[in-house]
Amino acid sequence: MPIREEEEENKRERLTFGSIVVNVIYSILLFTTALIAAVGLATYQWVETDKAKMAEGQLFAPLGAPGFQSVSCGLGTYCINAAGQVSECSLPWPQYGNGTPSDIPIFLWSVASGFIATGIVFVLFAWLFSLVACFGCYSHTRQNCCAKIVDVGGLFMFIGLLCFGASFSDLGVTNKDCRVPISGSASCTANDGWYIKLPSTQIEGVNASCRICPENVGAFQMSSLCSFGWGGILVVVACVMCFVASAVGHCVTPRKLKEKLAEKFGRGGGRRA
């Protein structure tokens, strides 16, 4: 029995003090990354415009939004700064329709939300393992696997950002939003002007959307009259942090591995014969 216990003790992988410190840094990075990405995903500040910018592009607020000042659209929430009861900016942030993915006005935003949320789940999974790694549950194989999962999480966030960029063409006003009736193959012009389409069902009814930018926007081409908000910027930061955290995670190695590397490459400065 003592021999078996000794064998199990020898098989157990233990961290050096330096690896424990690196693991703590790794764990903090993972938690911070997941938190930043979650806040970015939840906020409404992804695409924004205001009354002054709209005036430059001959864009006008709908008649049902008196005192309109600004609007922001996120992947799942929005904010309308206007007068009276049509203003929607307070917590909890208003969601599109009933808050289901099918109610999001732009399909690619639903896809982007799914990819980013999945990336956050991957990061949280690796974070949970980093918490127990210092308490006798460390495994170098599982550690490397979790670090690679963080890379996958960063990749999913990146794909989500690409989906969001590809949706820019859906943010522009169309002929249907023209302030004056047009017929046949005629197109609405700046002399006519456009009514933006807001995401509020209270204002727009069943036609609620988020067409708040000029007509010249395209995939990955944002107009200067619309701003890329800090919600998207947070997810970009989280995406980069995933790859940084993964690199740190690969540096968490057990004592025996360090000893083997020292013997193999080490003490004399070259490979042993």
Side-chain angles (χ1 to χ4, degrees):
M1 191 68 177
I3 295 177
R4 182 176 299 176
E5 292 178 356
E6 185 177 349
E7 289 177 351
E8 292 178 356
E9 183 71 17
N10 290 333
K11 290 180 181 179
R12 182 176 297 176
E13 296 177 294
R14 297 182 179 277
L15 296 175
T16 64
F17 176 76
S19 288
I20 292 175
V21 172
V22 174
N23 187 67
V24 171
I25 296 173
Y26 172 60
S27 183
I28 293 173
L29 277 173
L30 291 177
F31 180 76
T32 305
T33 299
L35 181 62
I36 290 175
V39 172
L41 178 61
T43 186
Y44 54 78
Q45 291 187 281
W46 281 70
V47 183
E48 304 172 302
T49 192
D50 57 35
K51 190 175 180 179
K53 290 180 179 178
M54 287 165 51
E56 295 181 36
Q58 294 300 306
L59 303 176
F60 299 87
L63 300 178
F68 174 86
Q69 295 299 320
S70 63
V71 58
S72 301
C73 293
L75 297 183
T77 56
Y78 65 89
C79 166
I80 299 173
N81 184 7
Q85 295 183 347
V86 298
S87 183
E88 299 179 74
C89 261
S90 59
L91 288 171
W93 295 323
Q95 297 179 317
Y96 302 112
N98 296 319
T100 62
S102 60
D103 291 325
I104 297 176
I106 298 176
F107 171 72
L108 282 173
W109 286 6
S110 300
V111 179
S113 297
F115 274 109
I116 295 171
T118 303
I120 294 172
V121 171
F122 285 155
V123 173
L124 287 175
F125 177 82
W127 173 67
L128 290 174
F129 178 75
S130 73
L131 293 180
V132 302
C134 294
F135 301 97
C137 297
Y138 176 84
S139 164
H140 187 59
T141 301
R142 287 195 291 268
Q143 175 70 22
N144 281 340
C145 181
C146 285
K148 291 175 182 176
I149 287 176
V150 177
D151 278 328
V152 175
L155 179 61
F156 270 59
M157 292 182 194
F158 180 70
I159 295 174
L161 290 168
L162 289 179
C163 291
F164 174 69
S167 73
F168 289 173
S169 58
D170 295 325
L171 295 171
V173 290
T174 66
N175 285 338
K176 294 186 296 183
D177 306 315
C178 196
R179 295 179 71 201
V180 299
I182 56 175
S183 59
S185 59
S187 298
C188 192
T189 66
N191 291 330
D192 302 321
W194 297 266
Y195 286 119
I196 63 171
K197 190 65 69 174
L198 297 176
S200 171
T201 54
Q202 182 180 354
I203 298 173
E204 303 285 5
V206 295
N207 296 317
S209 186
C210 194
R211 297 197 296 272
I212 61 175
C213 298
E215 81 287 355
N216 60 354
V217 293
F220 304 103
Q221 296 178 353
M222 177 66 76
S223 169
S224 60
L225 302 183
C226 285
S227 304
F228 182 47
W230 59 263
I233 293 173
L234 286 180
V235 176
V236 171
V237 172
C239 178
V240 174
M241 287 181 65
C242 280
F243 300 112
V244 174
S246 176
V248 174
H250 283 293
C251 295
V252 181
T253 54
R255 178 180 287 112
K256 289 182 180 180
L257 180 60
K258 288 182 177 292
E259 291 173 354
K260 287 180 181 179
L261 291 174
E263 290 177 1
K264 189 174 182 179
F265 295 101
R267 307 182 191 279
R271 185 185 294 270
R272 295 182 63 182

